[in-house]
């Protein structure tokens, strides 16, 4: 990644300081990412140095190795799946879906450790700066890509399996009628188009494709394609 | 609320300064809220001190008592209706739907006093930082909850009654054909699901429920449930 | 515009410094706009002075005259079409759809000059601060208005003709199946309602109207109105 960024710095001398401060001076992805995230989360109330200590502290815990592995897998997912991605450094620096997801992964670990107030503070800052509202209790698998990100909402009891791709404006929400376990459970390898609303404690099977703008209110068997308002099964999802 | 925040500060020493500066040092909800909002609205152009003077000045006017009462009622509404809410301090610190609505309430009072440029500047900052675009002329009742908030748009001549719950991505908009009085009029106790678009100078009766993803183009009698694109009445709304 | 802003400064003494720093001290629209945009794009990583040099440098290139002309035409479009617009200064200061579009126009010129890393950095900041994600390769005509703006996504190979009006939450996206040329091509004078999803390498003819909440998956002949999920032609679009 450093080669890519050195080319970028040579191309735009005015951004050289920015590239050095965000990527070039660090010797690992997670180190660069935690610094970059700390700068994004910072405001007058909690500065970037304080955020850095908090985030970096989580990476030093036993869960840290798993988190770093997830950060790499999500980046790899973008490189593989997004035709508009210009490179790993581009995704790391510029993709709010990637940055917000990594912050949410840290918040989730904090939530599991009962550090709820900090986890919720991260959720709130991610919602403000990236427009994605992911409850820290939501469980998210590896190799997940959230593209464009604005308007994404994942509820408290939602679950997302490995290798899912989720476009902007997608809600994994409740129906408003229930308390407790009330949000969707997604399998692996699912693609959810822009603006789709998946509501209620339903199961979406592995490999499903949900068309943009759908409103999904019922469980879907694996490898089906659903579309419409309300969504119906319209076919078998092929890879 | 202070007991709740003292527990949070004990749990996260790194956020102690933040909790003191946002809540613990103030002796009333409105005082804490106006400081917190001023910090959120601040940027290099208009600092938090300037925002504080402007907002606090409105609260000292004769309308101030009513505004403070609305701030409390909206907070109570969240506590009652949101199953994911961890406490009043959590909502006050972290819910952009709550913060943006309170800023919009101040903007509305300024609009009524013909201080339009300041009201519109608040609208703009709320749209930038919270992703909710509420015209300051829009009239909003008490006990209103805007959940998740990203993408919400309320037009200039929209009216929202008491005790409504409005999810993210909801638009109370025009049809693009009219000028003048062109936005929806909502009664009381209405629930509008995520991403619903309510368009035109139509009336939504008390207690209606509008399903997520609906596009509502016609008036609805009280206590009906509507769903679909375009929305049709699909049942009677029970509490 | 200066008369309008002098009235605003007289009305709100607390904002006088803000109005002077954003508009009154500049002798042209583009000079005020570039300063205002630089302040919006600025963060701890790249300051407003650095942004100003980068943006202003583009305006001094041969393409600069065309960019300035587009900035004026887009402002005129808002004045003509938005019934809620209080004046040109209001739009310039407060409309994130306008500000984000102008930043995207500069990013597009940088993209054409192969300064991709800077163009992508602008795209990313515009997505963060204004909630609109416009790929810098997307081609956008003159006199375009993006209203409310939150959630707008325009893909890499999308094209937008002159005099289009696009509401918040609109996606000009891909279907997820293709690489290469995969986004919609819009003619001139098109109106796209809030939340509409236009997907795939399809053509939308001049003067079409697309209803709010539609999902458009097929090309539309000129002067047709389309609505629904999936969208069907429901009539002839009259001006």
């Amino acid at each position: 990644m450093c080669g890519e960024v050195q080319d970028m710095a040579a191309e735009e001398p005015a951004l050289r300081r920015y590239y050095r401060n965000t990527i070039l001076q660090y010797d690992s992805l997670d180190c660069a990412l935690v610094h970059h995230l700390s700068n994004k989360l910072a405001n007058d109330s909690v500065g970037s140095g304080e955020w850095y200590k908090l985030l970096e502290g989580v990476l030093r815990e036993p869960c840290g190795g798993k988190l770093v592995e997830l950060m790499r897998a999500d980046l790899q997912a973008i490189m593989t799946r997004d035709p508009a991605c210009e490179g790993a450094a581009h995704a790391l620096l510029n993709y709010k879906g990637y940055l917000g997801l990594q912050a949410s992964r840290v918040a989730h670990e904090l939530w599991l450790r009962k550090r709820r107030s900090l986890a919720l503070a991260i959720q709130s800052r991610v919602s403000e700066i990236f427009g994605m509202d992911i409850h820290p209790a939501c469980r998210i698998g590896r190799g997940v890509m959230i593209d464009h990100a604005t308007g994404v909402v994942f509820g408290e009891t939602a679950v997302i399996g490995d290798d899912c791709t989720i476009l902007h404006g997608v809600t994994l929400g409740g129906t408003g009628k229930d308390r407790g376990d009330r949000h969707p459970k997604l399998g692996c390898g699912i693609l959810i188009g822009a603006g789709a609303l998946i509501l209620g404690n339903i199961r979406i099977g592995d490999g499903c494709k949900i068309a943009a703008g759908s409103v999904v209110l019922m469980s879907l068997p694996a490898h089906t394609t659903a579309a419409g308002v309300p969504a119906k099964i319209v076919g078998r999802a092929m890879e």
Side-chain angles (χ1 to χ4, degrees), chain A residues 136-193:
Chain A
C138 171
R139 279 152 45 203
I140 303 180
R142 77 192 294 281
V144 168
M145 167 172 155
I146 301 176
D147 203 7
H148 307 298
T150 311
V152 156
V153 174
F154 300 162
E156 183 179 4
T157 60
V159 177
I160 299 169
D162 298 340
D163 302 317
C164 289
T165 300
I166 297 177
L167 274 281
H168 54 287
V170 166
T171 294
L172 306 178
T175 59
K177 283 177 241 161
D178 302 308
R179 301 207 157 217
D181 190 359
R182 62 198 183 281
H183 297 115
K185 312 291 179 272
L186 273 56
C188 297
I190 291 166
L191 172 66
I192 306 183

Side-chain angles (χ1 to χ4, degrees), chain A residues 57-140:
Chain A
V58 178
L59 287 198
R60 283 171 181 241
E61 292 188 38
C63 67
K66 184 185 68 180
L67 274 173
V68 169
E69 203 275 324
L70 290 167
M71 289 168 178
R72 291 174 186 276
D74 292 342
L75 195 59
Q76 189 56 53
I78 295 170
M79 306 288 290
T80 308
R81 291 178 222 157
D82 180 2
C85 185
E86 301 275 319
H90 167 47
L92 176 61
L93 288 170
N94 294 329
Y95 275 34
K96 66 185 195 182
Y98 178 70
L99 294 170
L101 177 55
Q102 304 321 310
S104 301
R105 291 192 181 287
V106 176
H108 180 65
E109 290 299 326
L110 290 162
W111 184 264
L112 296 178
R113 277 150 193 70
K114 310 285 185 205
R115 295 175 66 181
R116 296 193 169 195
S117 63
L118 179 55
L120 294 166
I122 293 174
Q123 175 192 11
S124 175
R125 281 297 290 155
V126 168
S127 177
E128 278 179 21
I129 56 183
F130 301 130
M132 48 199 288
D133 193 349
I134 300 180
H135 195 286
C138 171
R139 279 152 45 203
I140 303 180

Side-chain angles (χ1 to χ4, degrees), chain A residues 41-48 50-51 125:
Chain A
L41 294 172
N43 57 15
D44 285 346
S45 304
V46 183
S48 60
E50 292 165 285
W51 278 117
R125 281 297 290 155

Side-chain angles (χ1 to χ4, degrees), chain A residues 182-221:
Chain A
R182 62 198 183 281
H183 297 115
K185 312 291 179 272
L186 273 56
C188 297
I190 291 166
L191 172 66
I192 306 183
L197 306 164
I198 327 283
L199 304 176
N201 187 1
I202 58 179
R203 296 195 165 267
I204 310 296
D206 293 344
C208 281
K209 291 188 195 298
I210 294 173
S214 303
V215 177
V216 182
L217 302 171
M218 60 174 196
S219 292
L220 296 175

